[in-house]
Amino acid sequence: MTHRAQVHCSVQVGSVQLPNPIMVASGTAGHSTELSAYLDLAKLGAFVVKSLSAEPWAGNPSPRLSPVGTSMINSIGLQGPGVTAWLNTGYQALRGKGVERIVVSIWGRTVEEYAAAAALLADAPPEVIAVEVNLSCPNLDGGAHLFAHDPDLSAAVITACSVANRPLWAKLSPNTHLIPQVADAVASAGAEAVTLTNTLLGLAIDCSTRKPTLAMGGGGLSGPGIHPVALRAVYDCRRAHPNLPIIGVGGIGNGEQAVEFLLAGAHACQVGTATFADPRAPLRVLEELQRWCDTNGVNDVRELIGESHG
Ligand SMILES: Cc1cc2nc3c(=O)[nH]c(=O)nc-3n(C[C@H](O)[C@H](O)[C@H](O)COP(=O)(O)O)c2cc1C
């Protein structure tokens, strides 16, 4: 006998209501309907678009993806069509598949570039329910260190992105001990939530060629190996900011790993690298989360949020 239909799955992330807590992670499900042959995108909590800049961007040279054990390293370099082209094509295709909740991720290399991408979303249709600001980008105005490693710069980007006229989610980097301080700064600047985390800086070397596996040298590590790192970031951030909504992302491949993020303090989760091995992974994770709740007498996923803190 199953009671699964009775598990209440709807969650609130700031002012945004989601019918369930499982989304795809930016950059791992394309810009639009690339995965729709495998995955009913309309059933996700929300579809998160790969990061877009104001202008089209070619990304990095190949090779830009490489397996590392059960994890993965990439240096795609934020390839994308730009916000305007996406609104005219990618957005339309998602609507054609019945997708009603879209989170657009944006990036830039200067505060002005972030603001330009955000401004292009000011008149986007209401299905664009939030803008996720990918702060793991090098700041060309300041020695190329990542915005997300600097609380003041991160706050400046979020302030500049208010022109998008949507709820802002700030996506932070795990490669700093300043995560709670950056979270504090972006929340004060107007972010409704933080997404934790982006990829971990890494490198893989091919012993046969004696060279890095990626054309750019290093890249971002994702997948099962970073799950405890992202979980710790969520846990620490929840402890420092109990009222700040968090979206947990990093190495989720099954329902229990999503439960772990909720227990650590996340209000919702994103599934990324697991999708490369199993394009159905995000909805499978949702089913497994529902089954876990059913088996463990949890009627409402919101009961789990932050429970590990006692
Ligand atoms: C191939 C690839 C491309 C990615 N592109 C983006 C991106 O455009 N914007 C972004 O914010 N994160 C990007 N990410 C990071 C993911 O959204 C996610 O934060 C990270 O991979 C950790 O989650 P995972 O272990 O479930 O993949 C990318 C990750 C991968 C593997």
PDB file of all heavy atoms in Angstrom, residues 220-245:
ATOM      1  N   GLY A 220      35.928  22.918 -12.646  1.00  0.00           N
ATOM      2  CA  GLY A 220      35.059  22.833 -11.474  1.00  0.00           C
ATOM      3  C   GLY A 220      34.626  21.403 -11.242  1.00  0.00           C
ATOM      4  O   GLY A 220      34.087  20.750 -12.137  1.00  0.00           O
ATOM      5  N   LEU A 221      34.873  20.911 -10.026  1.00  0.00           N
ATOM      6  CA  LEU A 221      34.500  19.535  -9.674  1.00  0.00           C
ATOM      7  C   LEU A 221      33.046  19.504  -9.231  1.00  0.00           C
ATOM      8  O   LEU A 221      32.601  20.364  -8.456  1.00  0.00           O
ATOM      9  CB  LEU A 221      35.407  19.045  -8.542  1.00  0.00           C
ATOM     10  CG  LEU A 221      35.274  17.567  -8.147  1.00  0.00           C
ATOM     11  CD1 LEU A 221      35.792  16.661  -9.268  1.00  0.00           C
ATOM     12  CD2 LEU A 221      36.023  17.290  -6.849  1.00  0.00           C
ATOM     13  N   SER A 222      32.310  18.497  -9.706  1.00  0.00           N
ATOM     14  CA  SER A 222      30.902  18.338  -9.337  1.00  0.00           C
ATOM     15  C   SER A 222      30.612  16.855  -9.175  1.00  0.00           C
ATOM     16  O   SER A 222      31.436  16.014  -9.507  1.00  0.00           O
ATOM     17  CB  SER A 222      30.005  18.937 -10.428  1.00  0.00           C
ATOM     18  OG  SER A 222      30.181  18.230 -11.641  1.00  0.00           O
ATOM     19  N   GLY A 223      29.431  16.545  -8.658  1.00  0.00           N
ATOM     20  CA  GLY A 223      29.036  15.156  -8.517  1.00  0.00           C
ATOM     21  C   GLY A 223      29.233  14.636  -7.105  1.00  0.00           C
ATOM     22  O   GLY A 223      29.453  15.415  -6.169  1.00  0.00           O
ATOM     23  N   PRO A 224      29.164  13.280  -6.926  1.00  0.00           N
ATOM     24  CA  PRO A 224      29.136  12.686  -5.588  1.00  0.00           C
ATOM     25  C   PRO A 224      30.249  13.182  -4.665  1.00  0.00           C
ATOM     26  O   PRO A 224      30.017  13.368  -3.470  1.00  0.00           O
ATOM     27  CB  PRO A 224      29.293  11.188  -5.864  1.00  0.00           C
ATOM     28  CG  PRO A 224      28.798  11.001  -7.252  1.00  0.00           C
ATOM     29  CD  PRO A 224      29.086  12.276  -7.991  1.00  0.00           C
ATOM     30  N   GLY A 225      31.444  13.436  -5.199  1.00  0.00           N
ATOM     31  CA  GLY A 225      32.574  13.839  -4.363  1.00  0.00           C
ATOM     32  C   GLY A 225      32.354  15.138  -3.613  1.00  0.00           C
ATOM     33  O   GLY A 225      32.938  15.365  -2.543  1.00  0.00           O
ATOM     34  N   ILE A 226      31.505  16.023  -4.149  1.00  0.00           N
ATOM     35  CA  ILE A 226      31.348  17.325  -3.470  1.00  0.00           C
ATOM     36  C   ILE A 226      30.116  17.361  -2.547  1.00  0.00           C
ATOM     37  O   ILE A 226      29.872  18.374  -1.897  1.00  0.00           O
ATOM     38  CB  ILE A 226      31.291  18.516  -4.464  1.00  0.00           C
ATOM     39  CG1 ILE A 226      29.954  18.618  -5.193  1.00  0.00           C
ATOM     40  CG2 ILE A 226      32.432  18.451  -5.474  1.00  0.00           C
ATOM     41  CD1 ILE A 226      29.725  19.992  -5.812  1.00  0.00           C
ATOM     42  N   HIS A 227      29.387  16.261  -2.486  1.00  0.00           N
ATOM     43  CA  HIS A 227      28.163  16.276  -1.672  1.00  0.00           C
ATOM     44  C   HIS A 227      28.420  16.674  -0.220  1.00  0.00           C
ATOM     45  O   HIS A 227      27.742  17.578   0.307  1.00  0.00           O
ATOM     46  CB  HIS A 227      27.455  14.915  -1.775  1.00  0.00           C
ATOM     47  CG  HIS A 227      26.201  14.834  -0.994  1.00  0.00           C
ATOM     48  ND1 HIS A 227      26.090  14.142   0.190  1.00  0.00           N
ATOM     49  CD2 HIS A 227      24.991  15.411  -1.200  1.00  0.00           C
ATOM     50  CE1 HIS A 227      24.868  14.285   0.668  1.00  0.00           C
ATOM     51  NE2 HIS A 227      24.177  15.036  -0.163  1.00  0.00           N
ATOM     52  N   PRO A 228      29.424  16.075   0.464  1.00  0.00           N
ATOM     53  CA  PRO A 228      29.641  16.488   1.866  1.00  0.00           C
ATOM     54  C   PRO A 228      30.097  17.937   1.988  1.00  0.00           C
ATOM     55  O   PRO A 228      29.815  18.597   2.993  1.00  0.00           O
ATOM     56  CB  PRO A 228      30.748  15.535   2.353  1.00  0.00           C
ATOM     57  CG  PRO A 228      30.831  14.450   1.339  1.00  0.00           C
ATOM     58  CD  PRO A 228      30.352  15.019   0.049  1.00  0.00           C
ATOM     59  N   VAL A 229      30.787  18.450   0.974  1.00  0.00           N
ATOM     60  CA  VAL A 229      31.261  19.844   0.999  1.00  0.00           C
ATOM     61  C   VAL A 229      30.064  20.799   0.916  1.00  0.00           C
ATOM     62  O   VAL A 229      29.938  21.743   1.709  1.00  0.00           O
ATOM     63  CB  VAL A 229      32.243  20.101  -0.167  1.00  0.00           C
ATOM     64  CG1 VAL A 229      32.685  21.561  -0.199  1.00  0.00           C
ATOM     65  CG2 VAL A 229      33.439  19.166  -0.083  1.00  0.00           C
ATOM     66  N   ALA A 230      29.177  20.537  -0.030  1.00  0.00           N
ATOM     67  CA  ALA A 230      27.998  21.399  -0.193  1.00  0.00           C
ATOM     68  C   ALA A 230      27.070  21.275   1.013  1.00  0.00           C
ATOM     69  O   ALA A 230      26.486  22.264   1.480  1.00  0.00           O
ATOM     70  CB  ALA A 230      27.262  21.037  -1.481  1.00  0.00           C
ATOM     71  N   LEU A 231      26.953  20.057   1.533  1.00  0.00           N
ATOM     72  CA  LEU A 231      26.099  19.832   2.705  1.00  0.00           C
ATOM     73  C   LEU A 231      26.609  20.641   3.890  1.00  0.00           C
ATOM     74  O   LEU A 231      25.836  21.266   4.625  1.00  0.00           O
ATOM     75  CB  LEU A 231      26.107  18.331   3.034  1.00  0.00           C
ATOM     76  CG  LEU A 231      25.015  17.806   3.952  1.00  0.00           C
ATOM     77  CD1 LEU A 231      23.638  17.994   3.342  1.00  0.00           C
ATOM     78  CD2 LEU A 231      25.265  16.329   4.261  1.00  0.00           C
ATOM     79  N   ARG A 232      27.915  20.652   4.074  1.00  0.00           N
ATOM     80  CA  ARG A 232      28.524  21.425   5.171  1.00  0.00           C
ATOM     81  C   ARG A 232      28.243  22.926   4.980  1.00  0.00           C
ATOM     82  O   ARG A 232      27.954  23.643   5.949  1.00  0.00           O
ATOM     83  CB  ARG A 232      30.025  21.151   5.197  1.00  0.00           C
ATOM     84  CG  ARG A 232      30.848  22.051   6.089  1.00  0.00           C
ATOM     85  CD  ARG A 232      30.758  21.632   7.545  1.00  0.00           C
ATOM     86  NE  ARG A 232      31.433  22.590   8.394  1.00  0.00           N
ATOM     87  CZ  ARG A 232      32.665  22.470   8.866  1.00  0.00           C
ATOM     88  NH1 ARG A 232      33.383  21.404   8.561  1.00  0.00           N
ATOM     89  NH2 ARG A 232      33.194  23.371   9.651  1.00  0.00           N
ATOM     90  N   ALA A 233      28.347  23.391   3.728  1.00  0.00           N
ATOM     91  CA  ALA A 233      28.082  24.811   3.460  1.00  0.00           C
ATOM     92  C   ALA A 233      26.646  25.165   3.843  1.00  0.00           C
ATOM     93  O   ALA A 233      26.387  26.206   4.455  1.00  0.00           O
ATOM     94  CB  ALA A 233      28.343  25.116   1.982  1.00  0.00           C
ATOM     95  N   VAL A 234      25.705  24.286   3.480  1.00  0.00           N
ATOM     96  CA  VAL A 234      24.292  24.528   3.827  1.00  0.00           C
ATOM     97  C   VAL A 234      24.120  24.520   5.342  1.00  0.00           C
ATOM     98  O   VAL A 234      23.467  25.404   5.923  1.00  0.00           O
ATOM     99  CB  VAL A 234      23.385  23.456   3.160  1.00  0.00           C
ATOM    100  CG1 VAL A 234      21.961  23.535   3.701  1.00  0.00           C
ATOM    101  CG2 VAL A 234      23.396  23.633   1.641  1.00  0.00           C
ATOM    102  N   TYR A 235      24.723  23.550   5.992  1.00  0.00           N
ATOM    103  CA  TYR A 235      24.599  23.408   7.450  1.00  0.00           C
ATOM    104  C   TYR A 235      25.132  24.658   8.161  1.00  0.00           C
ATOM    105  O   TYR A 235      24.478  25.232   9.038  1.00  0.00           O
ATOM    106  CB  TYR A 235      25.373  22.163   7.876  1.00  0.00           C
ATOM    107  CG  TYR A 235      25.220  21.791   9.325  1.00  0.00           C
ATOM    108  CD1 TYR A 235      24.166  20.976   9.739  1.00  0.00           C
ATOM    109  CD2 TYR A 235      26.131  22.229  10.279  1.00  0.00           C
ATOM    110  CE1 TYR A 235      24.017  20.618  11.075  1.00  0.00           C
ATOM    111  CE2 TYR A 235      25.995  21.880  11.607  1.00  0.00           C
ATOM    112  CZ  TYR A 235      24.934  21.068  11.995  1.00  0.00           C
ATOM    113  OH  TYR A 235      24.797  20.723  13.312  1.00  0.00           O
ATOM    114  N   ASP A 236      26.338  25.094   7.752  1.00  0.00           N
ATOM    115  CA  ASP A 236      26.955  26.263   8.400  1.00  0.00           C
ATOM    116  C   ASP A 236      26.149  27.530   8.132  1.00  0.00           C
ATOM    117  O   ASP A 236      26.013  28.398   9.002  1.00  0.00           O
ATOM    118  CB  ASP A 236      28.390  26.460   7.886  1.00  0.00           C
ATOM    119  CG  ASP A 236      29.341  25.406   8.435  1.00  0.00           C
ATOM    120  OD1 ASP A 236      28.920  24.602   9.302  1.00  0.00           O
ATOM    121  OD2 ASP A 236      30.505  25.361   7.984  1.00  0.00           O
ATOM    122  N   CYS A 237      25.641  27.650   6.906  1.00  0.00           N
ATOM    123  CA  CYS A 237      24.878  28.841   6.550  1.00  0.00           C
ATOM    124  C   CYS A 237      23.561  28.877   7.321  1.00  0.00           C
ATOM    125  O   CYS A 237      23.149  29.930   7.817  1.00  0.00           O
ATOM    126  CB  CYS A 237      24.639  28.855   5.041  1.00  0.00           C
ATOM    127  SG  CYS A 237      24.021  30.419   4.453  1.00  0.00           S
ATOM    128  N   ARG A 238      22.917  27.737   7.437  1.00  0.00           N
ATOM    129  CA  ARG A 238      21.665  27.666   8.203  1.00  0.00           C
ATOM    130  C   ARG A 238      21.909  28.060   9.662  1.00  0.00           C
ATOM    131  O   ARG A 238      21.113  28.784  10.270  1.00  0.00           O
ATOM    132  CB  ARG A 238      21.107  26.246   8.113  1.00  0.00           C
ATOM    133  CG  ARG A 238      19.980  25.935   9.080  1.00  0.00           C
ATOM    134  CD  ARG A 238      18.656  26.535   8.623  1.00  0.00           C
ATOM    135  NE  ARG A 238      17.584  26.198   9.551  1.00  0.00           N
ATOM    136  CZ  ARG A 238      16.313  26.251   9.263  1.00  0.00           C
ATOM    137  NH1 ARG A 238      15.922  26.651   8.069  1.00  0.00           N
ATOM    138  NH2 ARG A 238      15.403  25.934  10.135  1.00  0.00           N
ATOM    139  N   ARG A 239      23.045  27.571  10.203  1.00  0.00           N
ATOM    140  CA  ARG A 239      23.372  27.880  11.599  1.00  0.00           C
ATOM    141  C   ARG A 239      23.592  29.393  11.768  1.00  0.00           C
ATOM    142  O   ARG A 239      23.124  30.006  12.723  1.00  0.00           O
ATOM    143  CB  ARG A 239      24.621  27.101  11.997  1.00  0.00           C
ATOM    144  CG  ARG A 239      25.111  27.432  13.375  1.00  0.00           C
ATOM    145  CD  ARG A 239      25.971  26.333  13.932  1.00  0.00           C
ATOM    146  NE  ARG A 239      25.151  25.205  14.379  1.00  0.00           N
ATOM    147  CZ  ARG A 239      25.607  24.146  15.024  1.00  0.00           C
ATOM    148  NH1 ARG A 239      26.881  24.043  15.272  1.00  0.00           N
ATOM    149  NH2 ARG A 239      24.801  23.179  15.402  1.00  0.00           N
ATOM    150  N   ALA A 240      24.295  30.001  10.804  1.00  0.00           N
ATOM    151  CA  ALA A 240      24.594  31.438  10.906  1.00  0.00           C
ATOM    152  C   ALA A 240      23.369  32.306  10.595  1.00  0.00           C
ATOM    153  O   ALA A 240      23.225  33.396  11.145  1.00  0.00           O
ATOM    154  CB  ALA A 240      25.743  31.791   9.962  1.00  0.00           C
ATOM    155  N   HIS A 241      22.508  31.802   9.691  1.00  0.00           N
ATOM    156  CA  HIS A 241      21.355  32.618   9.223  1.00  0.00           C
ATOM    157  C   HIS A 241      20.104  31.749   9.183  1.00  0.00           C
ATOM    158  O   HIS A 241      19.640  31.360   8.103  1.00  0.00           O
ATOM    159  CB  HIS A 241      21.636  33.166   7.817  1.00  0.00           C
ATOM    160  CG  HIS A 241      22.909  33.926   7.716  1.00  0.00           C
ATOM    161  ND1 HIS A 241      23.080  35.165   8.282  1.00  0.00           N
ATOM    162  CD2 HIS A 241      24.092  33.603   7.141  1.00  0.00           C
ATOM    163  CE1 HIS A 241      24.307  35.589   8.055  1.00  0.00           C
ATOM    164  NE2 HIS A 241      24.944  34.651   7.372  1.00  0.00           N
ATOM    165  N   PRO A 242      19.531  31.459  10.350  1.00  0.00           N
ATOM    166  CA  PRO A 242      18.401  30.513  10.393  1.00  0.00           C
ATOM    167  C   PRO A 242      17.199  30.939   9.554  1.00  0.00           C
ATOM    168  O   PRO A 242      16.406  30.088   9.153  1.00  0.00           O
ATOM    169  CB  PRO A 242      18.031  30.465  11.876  1.00  0.00           C
ATOM    170  CG  PRO A 242      19.147  31.109  12.616  1.00  0.00           C
ATOM    171  CD  PRO A 242      19.895  31.978  11.664  1.00  0.00           C
ATOM    172  N   ASN A 243      17.066  32.245   9.264  1.00  0.00           N
ATOM    173  CA  ASN A 243      15.885  32.697   8.521  1.00  0.00           C
ATOM    174  C   ASN A 243      16.114  32.924   7.035  1.00  0.00           C
ATOM    175  O   ASN A 243      15.207  33.352   6.320  1.00  0.00           O
ATOM    176  CB  ASN A 243      15.343  33.988   9.146  1.00  0.00           C
ATOM    177  CG  ASN A 243      14.912  33.756  10.573  1.00  0.00           C
ATOM    178  OD1 ASN A 243      14.319  32.709  10.863  1.00  0.00           O
ATOM    179  ND2 ASN A 243      15.241  34.681  11.463  1.00  0.00           N
ATOM    180  N   LEU A 244      17.331  32.657   6.576  1.00  0.00           N
ATOM    181  CA  LEU A 244      17.627  32.874   5.152  1.00  0.00           C
ATOM    182  C   LEU A 244      17.354  31.581   4.367  1.00  0.00           C
ATOM    183  O   LEU A 244      17.976  30.555   4.635  1.00  0.00           O
ATOM    184  CB  LEU A 244      19.109  33.276   4.992  1.00  0.00           C
ATOM    185  CG  LEU A 244      19.613  33.481   3.567  1.00  0.00           C
ATOM    186  CD1 LEU A 244      18.875  34.630   2.876  1.00  0.00           C
ATOM    187  CD2 LEU A 244      21.119  33.762   3.573  1.00  0.00           C
ATOM    188  N   PRO A 245      16.421  31.622   3.409  1.00  0.00           N
ATOM    189  CA  PRO A 245      16.158  30.415   2.619  1.00  0.00           C
ATOM    190  C   PRO A 245      17.397  29.962   1.834  1.00  0.00           C
ATOM    191  O   PRO A 245      18.128  30.796   1.292  1.00  0.00           O
ATOM    192  CB  PRO A 245      15.036  30.846   1.669  1.00  0.00           C
ATOM    193  CG  PRO A 245      14.393  32.013   2.344  1.00  0.00           C
ATOM    194  CD  PRO A 245      15.496  32.714   3.070  1.00  0.00           C
TER     195      PRO A 245
END
